[in-house]
Amino acid sequence: MWEHTEIKDQLHIIDGKKAPDLIITNAEYLHSIYKKWIKGNIWIAGDRIIYAGKEMPAMIEGAEIVDASGKKIVPGYIEPHVHPFQLYNPWTFADYASRLGTTTFISDNLILFMSLANETSFALLDELNKLPFSFYWWARFDSQTVLQNETELFNLESIKEWIERPEVLLGGELTGWPRLMGGESDMFTSVSAAKAGGKKIEGHFPGASERTLARMRLLGTDGDHEAMTVEEVEARLLHGYGVTLRHSSIRPDLPHLLKGIVDKELDVFDHLMMTTDGSTPSFYIDGVMDKCIRAALEAGVPPIDAYQMASYNVARYYDMSDLHGVIATGRYATLNFLEDEYNPVPTDVLSKGRWLKRENESAEPFPPIDWSIVEAFAPDFDLDETDFIFENLIGIEMLNDVITQPYNVTIDTSGGKLAKDHDESFLMLLDRSGKWHVNTLIKGFATGIQGFASSYSNTGDIILIGKDKKEMLNAFNEMKRIGGGMVIAEDDGIVATLPLAIGGGLSTEPVQELIAQELELKKVLADRGFTKGDAVYTLLFLQSTHLPYIRITQVGLYDVMAKEVIIPATGR
C-alpha cells in the first residue's frame, strides 16, 4: 500500500504545502454511504483521493484541473465473480472492461492453479498488479471435474499459499460442495483455512433447498450467485447470504430477477450484487458491468441502488470499502464520469489516478504482459487410425448447452464416417501430452460438422468432435500447427480457426477482435447443425462434474450421480 513518504506528501496537500496532481472541480458525485449525490471538489495525488468535499486546495500550481460540470461521477464498477479465461485472458478482458467503467475484477484462479506452479502464477499476479486496474482473486478448492492427480494438485499447502496472498478475497466457488456437506476432511480443512485467513466463501448452489442452504451456511459459506428465481433470492437473503445476481451468456437471469424484486417491493438492494459470471466474448459486445447496471435501471431499480450494486455493495461485502466503492478521502482514485445517471457507459474513466478514457475516447493503453511464462501448446505426438476406434456403447447426449445424460449407442461406428441424417458425432478427449484418450459418441452437438478440434477445455486437454475421422485428424493437425485454438475442418480444407496462442487456451487478441472471431466460429458451427446457444460453454462443461449427469473426464466417462467411472480412459 502507500509508503510513509507518500502519506507525508498527501498530508502536505491537505496542509496546503503541496498541490495535488489532479483536481476535479464542480463535481456532482455519488456518496455511497449517504446514498446521495453530493456537489464538491475531488483532490487526487497519484492513485489516491486526498480529499472530496466543498473545499479547494490551497495550492493548485501545476495541478491538472478538470471541470466536471454537467457530469455525474460514480465509483468505478466492480465485477465480483469473474472467470477471466473464457478465450480472452485477464489482461485483454481488463483492458476492454475498463474503458466501459469496470475497473476492478474479483477473479477465478482455477486455470492458473491447474496449469501453472504457484510461483509462476504469483509472478503473473504481480505483473497484473502493475496495471491501472484492480485485480483480486479466489482460491479454488476443487477442479470441478475428475482429475487423475486431483489429490496431488489440490493439496492444502498449495491452497494456503493462495489464501495468504493479500489480493485473494475468497475461497471457492464451491462447485464441490456435496463433498463438504458429506464430511470430506480435505474440503473442510480448506474452507476452514480460508475462513481463518479472513476470506469469504462463495457457494455454487443451483436449485438448493432451504435445508441445503442452511447446512452450507453452517459449514462456512457466505455467498452464492446461483439464484434463478425471486423465491431463491429471498431464500438466500433469509439465511444471511451475500447474494450476487447473474446476467451471463448461459444464465441471463438478472432482468427478470430484478423485475420480480421491484414488483414485490422488496427493500433489499443494499444486500445485492451483480455479475456477468465469466460469459463468452460476444456477450460483452454491449458492455460488462455497465450492461448489468443498464438492466437494473430498465427493471425499475432506483439509479443509486443500481450503481451501488456494482460498486459499494461489493466493496462492503468483501471488506475493501477503505479502497473501493466510495468517493471519499483515502480511497483509490477510480471514478466514472457519466452524462447522466441513466446512462452507465462513462464518457471518462479514471482508474487508480490514470485516465483510461477521455471524452469517449480510449486514453492510456495498458502496458503489455509477457505471456512466455505460460508453456506453449506444442504436442509432440501424432494421431493415427488406431486412435479413432469408437466401440463403447454408452454415449453422451446433450439436453442443452451444459446438461448431458447417458444414452445407448446403436449406430455402426466402425467406418470412417457417420451419416448426416442424425445428430450423433464421434467424441474424443485426448491428453494434451498424448498419454491417454477417452472415445465415445456425443448426441445433440451437431448434424454436419466433419471435424472439430479444440485445445480449449476445462483441464487444458484436447477435445475432438466430428462425423468424419479423417477430418477430425485434419483439425487436430491444424490446431497443432497454429499453436492451439479451435479448428473446423471440412472436405480436406480448413473452414474456421480461432487461435489461442497462450498455452492453447487463451487468445492474445483484443476482446473486440476476439468477439468477431467467436461470432464467426459460432456461425460456422450453426451452419453445420449446432443448435445450442453457446458452443464455448459446451466445450468447457463437457468435463464438469458439478453438472448432471454424465461427463467425459481424464479418468474416463463418468457418472456424476453414482460417482463412478462407466468407461475408463485408454492408454496410448
Side-chain angles (χ1 to χ4, degrees), residues 258 274 290-307 340-344:
L258 289 175
M274 301 185 287
D290 56 306
K291 179 173 183 168
C292 291
I293 296 168
R294 187 182 310 111
L297 294 171
E298 291 172 354
V301 177
I304 288 177
D305 285 319
Y307 288 101
D340 61 66
E341 64 264 46
Y342 293 98
N343 183 1

Side-chain angles (χ1 to χ4, degrees), residues 299-551:
V301 177
I304 288 177
D305 285 319
Y307 288 101
Q308 300 268 85
M309 289 166 64
S311 57
Y312 178 63
N313 292 4
V314 183
R316 184 185 59 200
Y317 176 75
Y318 284 106
D319 300 319
M320 58 179 187
S321 59
D322 58 327
L323 296 176
H324 298 278
V326 185
I327 300 175
T329 298
R331 276 69 176 185
Y332 277 132
T334 300
L335 313 172
N336 289 336
F337 295 66
L338 311 177
E339 291 177 342
D340 61 66
E341 64 264 46
Y342 293 98
N343 183 1
V345 180
T347 60
D348 305 81
V349 176
L350 188 72
S351 183
K352 289 186 173 179
R354 291 157 71 174
W355 292 109
L356 300 183
K357 189 177 184 182
R358 290 290 279 144
E359 301 299 334
N360 288 308
E361 296 292 334
S362 288
E364 180 180 352
F366 278 9
I369 293 287
D370 180 9
W371 289 105
S372 64
I373 61 173
V374 178
E375 183 180 355
F377 179 81
D380 61 355
F381 63 93
D382 296 315
L383 299 180
D384 58 40
E385 61 183 18
T386 62
D387 291 298
F388 290 88
I389 297 172
F390 295 82
E391 296 179 333
N392 295 317
L393 298 180
I394 299 176
I396 296 176
E397 181 178 8
M398 294 177 57
L399 300 180
N400 58 32
D401 290 286
V402 298
I403 304 299
T404 58
Q405 68 180 10
Y407 83 101
N408 294 322
V409 177
T410 58
I411 61 174
D412 180 10
T413 61
S414 60
K417 298 180 181 181
L418 298 177
K420 293 183 179 181
D421 61 357
H422 59 73
D423 62 353
E424 295 176 67
S425 303
F426 299 116
L427 167 64
M428 180 191 302
L429 178 67
L430 174 67
D431 174 34
R432 67 183 288 144
S433 299
K435 296 179 181 179
W436 52 264
H437 60 69
V438 182
N439 287 9
T440 185
L441 264 67
I442 185 167
K443 179 177 174 59
F445 184 80
T447 55
I449 296 173
Q450 295 181 20
F452 175 80
S454 174
S455 56
Y456 171 86
S457 68
N458 183 293
T459 57
D461 295 310
I462 298 162
I463 296 172
L464 303 181
I465 301 175
K467 293 277 191 177
D468 187 322
K469 297 175 182 178
K470 176 184 173 184
E471 294 302 334
M472 293 167 68
L473 177 59
N474 288 342
F476 170 78
N477 288 333
E478 177 66 9
M479 180 191 64
K480 282 178 57 178
R481 189 191 70 80
I482 65 174
M486 299 182 186
V487 175
I488 299 175
E490 182 175 285
D491 298 334
D492 293 318
I494 304 299
V495 294
T497 61
L498 196 161
L500 299 172
I502 302 172
L506 306 176
S507 173
T508 57
E509 295 294 327
V511 170
Q512 296 93 325
E513 298 298 324
L514 183 58
I515 288 172
Q517 291 178 341
E518 184 206 8
L519 290 173
E520 176 59 25
L521 180 82
K522 287 180 173 179
K523 181 180 183 303
V524 172
L525 289 171
D527 288 346
R528 286 153 181 79
F530 182 86
T531 60
K532 306 300 188 293
D534 197 327
V536 176
Y537 257 107
T538 294
L539 296 171
L540 183 67
F541 282 158
L542 276 175
Q543 299 166 272
S544 296
T545 53
H546 67 289
L547 295 164
Y549 291 92
I550 186 172
R551 301 288 147 178

Side-chain angles (χ1 to χ4, degrees), residues 34-185:
Y34 282 115
K35 292 188 70 174
K36 291 181 179 179
W37 299 101
I38 289 180
K39 293 184 178 180
N41 305 299
I42 304 170
W43 316 352
I44 293 166
D47 60 359
R48 197 178 198 189
I49 296 173
I50 304 305
Y51 170 89
K54 299 291 186 183
E55 302 296 324
M56 280 288 287
M59 289 189 63
I60 62 172
E61 185 177 354
E64 178 186 3
I65 300 177
V66 173
D67 186 347
S69 296
K71 299 287 181 72
K72 293 286 185 73
I73 304 176
V74 296
Y77 310 144
I78 304 172
E79 226 298 8
H81 192 92
V82 184
H83 301 272
F85 309 104
Q86 310 296 43
L87 304 184
Y88 41 74
N89 67 68
W91 184 93
T92 52
F93 190 36
D95 182 75
Y96 178 79
S98 67
R99 317 299 159 160
L100 298 167
T102 302
T103 48
T104 300
F105 283 170
I106 305 177
S107 297
D108 185 2
N109 78 323
L110 183 62
I111 301 302
L112 298 180
F113 192 83
M114 289 176 59
S115 60
L116 302 175
N118 279 356
E119 183 179 358
T120 304
S121 293
F122 297 155
L124 177 58
L125 265 58
D126 290 339
E127 286 300 304
L128 291 170
N129 286 340
K130 296 175 184 177
L131 299 176
F133 193 91
S134 296
F135 275 99
Y136 297 95
W137 297 86
W138 324 345
R140 283 274 197 163
F141 305 146
D142 68 284
S143 67
Q144 72 181 33
T145 184
V146 181
L147 302 176
Q148 293 180 351
N149 64 337
E150 176 100 12
T151 304
E152 175 187 338
L153 181 62
F154 284 87
N155 65 82
L156 183 60
E157 182 180 354
S158 293
I159 291 170
K160 286 182 72 172
E161 287 179 357
W162 276 88
I163 291 171
E164 290 165 2
R165 292 282 298 196
E167 65 267 68
V168 172
L169 302 182
L170 69 148
E173 60 184 294
L174 293 182
T175 51
W177 63 268
R179 291 162 51 187
L180 178 62
M181 197 162 69
E184 183 181 292
S185 60

